[in-house]
Amino acid sequence: MQKPTLDQTRIPESDLGIHGDAPVRVQRIIRAKDAVKRRLAVGTVVEPTDRYSVVAVLGQSNAHGAGMPGVGGLPPQPDPRVHQWPGCGRRRGRILLAEDPLLHEIPGAGVGFATTFGSLLADHTGDAVLLVPSARGDTAFHQKNGYSWDPANRSARVNLYDLAVRQIGNALTAAGTGSHLAAILWHQGESDVPLTPPDVYQDRLDALIAGLRGHFGEVPFILGQMVPEEIATGHPKYPGIAAVHATTPDRHAVCAHVPGPEGMHNPGETIHYNAAGQRVLGWAMFEAYRDLVGGVPGAQ
């Protein structure tokens, strides 16, 4: 039997039972459904440009895209200047149009913030934008259902940090020599709230940021706040993880935390922003990015 880690010894059994791994049978069903989703994903092929501002999109369900279509407006029309390096699908390995839902490790479920960010960045720089969708819903630094964002976790079936590094690197190669990694967008934490003490979460988030910058340089890192109503009314440990997000710019240069819009979540639950909320968050992330860089690199 594997010896429990320090943070596991601090997690109540009730939280592990409710929020930890699903039963093995359920995990197998999820994996089978994921395989079908990947096979069915197609996407729209575009003519690549010779210069991209590349933007990585990391985290869990809100980064993955969970804004319900028809709630707060229809999904935005795709911007022909904003493309994606897909994480799955029949056309993986080709640059595609960035259409919500984006093609992450599995296809997203709805509208996300990244397409709005990408369109605004294209407006500002005059360059095309290549999104790198690398999020996965219901994932954490704590290993859950075979997935982990912890850079040091060598036992997870899928280490999402390693996967993101590969995806970003491959996207930069495909984007061409005139391209650069402009930003990393991060939205995650809900699954860690009941499973990871805030101090452990902070250490792992800091290691993720340091690791990504070790590979790609001091790239602007933008964190989006979890849904305010979920922080206020969800699990009692939400404020601890939210505080880690809010103070991350105190620990890392060229980093910003973006408050989330209130009253803009999907009906019937508070964990996911609706389509309009995702667009507001994407706009706020871009404004924070522009403030960080003081004039976007590569601006015309």
Side-chain angles (χ1 to χ4, degrees):
M1 180 180 293
Q2 184 179 9
K3 181 180 179 180
T5 61
L6 176 62
D7 56 299
Q8 285 177 320
T9 66
R10 296 159 57 184
I11 304 169
E13 287 294 331
S14 57
D15 278 340
L16 281 173
I18 296 171
H19 303 286
D21 287 340
V24 173
R25 176 178 172 276
V26 173
Q27 291 187 49
R28 288 173 178 163
I29 292 171
I30 292 171
R31 289 172 66 179
K33 289 182 177 179
D34 287 350
V36 173
K37 292 175 184 176
R38 293 186 187 102
R39 285 198 298 270
L40 293 177
V42 181
T44 303
V45 175
V46 294
E47 186 66 29
T49 74
D50 58 1
R51 178 184 174 91
Y52 281 106
S53 295
V54 179
V55 177
V57 187
L58 313 182
Q60 59 179 111
S61 53
N62 276 300
H64 195 236
M68 291 177 59
V71 177
L74 295 173
Q77 290 298 309
D79 186 329
R81 304 166 301 170
V82 184
H83 303 161
Q84 65 173 315
W85 180 252
C88 69
R90 300 177 192 176
R91 291 171 174 163
R92 187 179 181 191
R94 301 181 68 180
I95 291 176
L96 306 178
L97 184 65
E99 304 168 276
D100 282 310
L102 295 173
L103 301 179
H104 295 260
E105 187 255 1
I106 60 171
V111 176
F113 51 76
T115 49
T116 296
F117 183 98
S119 188
L120 292 167
L121 183 58
D123 285 342
H124 197 72
T125 65
D127 290 338
V129 172
L130 184 63
L131 302 178
V132 187
S134 298
R136 167 89 192 192
D138 196 23
T139 55
F141 285 104
H142 181 97
Q143 184 171 315
K144 184 174 182 180
N145 297 329
Y147 289 86
S148 175
W149 279 105
D150 181 3
N153 187 319
R154 299 296 99 197
S155 63
R157 180 171 56 83
V158 179
N159 185 293
L160 291 163
Y161 166 82
D162 290 345
L163 180 61
V165 168
R166 289 195 300 273
Q167 280 290 93
I168 296 167
N170 290 339
L172 287 167
T173 298
T177 56
S179 304
H180 69 287
L181 183 60
I184 298 171
L185 309 182
W186 175 261
H187 198 290
Q188 189 276 339
E190 296 90 345
S191 290
D192 271 305
V193 163
L195 299 174
T196 307
D199 59 330
V200 176
Y201 183 91
Q202 178 174 308
D203 287 346
R204 292 178 181 174
L205 176 61
D206 288 350
L208 177 139
I209 296 171
L212 290 170
R213 288 179 166 179
H215 283 283
F216 304 111
E218 194 175 65
V219 180
F221 193 93
I222 317 294
L223 305 94
Q225 184 188 36
M226 298 178 290
V227 176
E229 288 82 0
E230 178 73 4
I231 296 171
T233 63
H235 193 285
K237 293 183 180 178
Y238 260 101
I241 299 298
V244 172
H245 292 155
T247 59
T248 299
D250 298 334
R251 302 187 305 277
H252 298 275
V254 199
C255 179
H257 173 259
V258 177
E262 296 183 0
M264 303 188 79
H265 51 80
N266 287 335
E269 49 98 344
T270 56
I271 201 168
H272 298 124
Y273 290 106
N274 62 22
Q278 291 276 11
R279 289 194 287 274
V280 169
L281 186 61
W283 186 287
M285 284 179 151
F286 173 74
E287 291 295 319
Y289 171 81
R290 189 169 62 177
D291 290 345
L292 274 182
V293 300
V296 179
Q300 303 297 312

